Amino acid sequence: MSSQTVAPYGEWVSPITASMLTSAVRPLSFPTFVGDEIWWVEGRPQEAGRSTVMARRADSSVVELLPAPWNVRTRVHEYGGRAFLGVPTPSGPALVFAHFDDQRLYRLDPGASEPVPLTPVPTIPSGLRYADLVLAPDGATIVCVRERHTDSDLDRHLVAVPLDGSAAEDASAVREIVGGSRFLAYPRVSPDGRRVAWLAWDHPRMPWDGTELRVGTLEDGRVASWTTVLGGPAESVFQPEWADAETLYAVSDATGWWNPYRVPASGGQPELLYQAEEEFGFPLWMLGLTSYGLLPDGALLCVHGTGTQRLGRLDPRTGELADLDLPYDVFGYTVEASGHRAVAVVGGPTVPNQVVVVDTRSGEAEVIRTSIDPSALPDEAYLPRPESTALRGPDGREIHVHIYPPTNPDYVAPADERPPYVVHVHGGPTANSPAALDLSKAYLTSRGIGVLDVNYGGSTGYGRAYRERLRGQWGIVDVEDAAAAAQALVARGDADPARLAIEGGSAGGWTTLCAVTRTDVFAAGVSLFGVSDLRLLAATTHDFESRYLDGLVGGDVTTPEYAAIADERSPLTHADKTRCPVLLLQGGKDPVVPLEQAEKFRDALARAGVPHALVVFENEMHGFRSAEAIIAATEAELAFYGQVMGFRPPGVEPIELTS
């Protein structure tokens, strides 16, 4: 065995390069059965972040269904969701999809050279958007959520789009099925075609706060009347599905955890099928997410767990839940069953995300596609093994974390040195960071920089009470938890107290900026498209999150009382008290957290004489998708840590800081 080289933390040479985060990685999502085939969405960072649809044929070959420049992505709610559907035709399944550039629906038939449009040209560019596509029982129409933008506002409806293309030139051919609420999700037509179920909610609620499961009677293809059968202002319902023409399944957090229910479609007492302090649902950031599927014998195939996840078979008649013996700890936000097979995106600490097909009787899993090219996957010796644990925060409260230690078989640090650590704060904030293989984390840990991934109070995956810790406390609880987790790591002797950094995107960027202006725990802060000014956010962000702050701050920030709270809470107000250098990474076309947020904070740092840099990627939106932006942002962040913390990471150029 070769001897290890002694070198300071942060200066280790790693085989994991920033370019590998794009050339070797292909994001996978929304796997589904289409006849005998399996289709899924695959991201292409090397093609400016384009998304395409892939298919595994019955003969096991894998093909791309949609060539460039077509881009499968919907902007409904700006975060999008399920944007494609396979529909049967005599010559094989056709692909129906939302094209990112104009947001119209298109149909690509087998053997056709080009897709044909199904929906009309919007009056406002990208002003008609579609998501959550399902095939109606008649086989001739697509039912979906449509978001319609006007000069002054927008509205959303469940609509029926004919598959024959007649609506491409005649907008009246798109039939509005039902509206009546600001937000709609999960259109589900009953097996007999007489009713439709869907979820609805209104401002200021978010879907994890409270949603209603509604069932409407269809007359001439439109809802004549409807009834709420589950949910309410303080009960979040997730993924309704028809069990038969008279009964629905759904997931509700009425118990304090997202648990499965059986619901009479005509109204009546819902039946709790399995009660456990585990989550059987997800926060509905994107439309079309699914956490369970229906098996031929009437059982439900459910993703469930806390922190880590499992795939189990739930018998609704007996309430028995039996887990399949699978080597995965992380399941993506969609699982689908067809016959005795299931398909999902799965992963784990050393297993890259991959599309797998599972035989639900034998438990055998077949890998269809991996998110990291197997030939480019680094040796496991360079991948950190996370420690998933709970650290103690203020008042002894639990903070769920994943600790990724520095890991490189070729190097060892000097005996008297403790490693620098980057506290990673996930976005959302109503979201979760799983203990999954992530090359962006391994990029740091293989260079001798530890990563502390904090699922702070407000994160999902640990029940409603943990999620609601952040209600009215955004910028307080998340900051306290991030700082306390870092200090707990120092107290264990695992981290250098003088070399702690904090980093996050979107809501994680907000927590980062709050932390560097309100605490002296961190030596560096990196905000990716983060929030700096709450009132500016409320005035400029998109509709889906425009009232999110009501719950996070405690009330409407346009009123004097809560405007004052928003101003006091905002990092921009306290930028002159920033304790450390700050790197700002921002997309120039971000509709969620506009560029102005970063520019204002940069200007405040300049006035205060705080070392900083702002890097703008002009063509990026909320989250970086192109290879150029991902590589540049990754290397800039590493260079920044080295400059601030006193080490020289090999292979990256220093970043210019302004003070």
Side-chain angles (χ1 to χ4, degrees), residues 154-180:
L154 57 81
D155 61 56
R156 298 180 179 91
H157 289 80
L158 301 188
V159 298
V161 178
L163 281 168
D164 62 7
S166 57
E169 302 297 334
D170 178 10
S172 66
V174 176
R175 184 177 73 252
E176 292 184 355
I177 299 172
V178 69

Side-chain angles (χ1 to χ4, degrees), residues 287-303:
L287 295 179
L289 305 184
T290 56
S291 63
Y292 69 93
L294 307 183
L295 297 176
D297 62 358
L300 305 183
L301 191 70
C302 306
V303 174

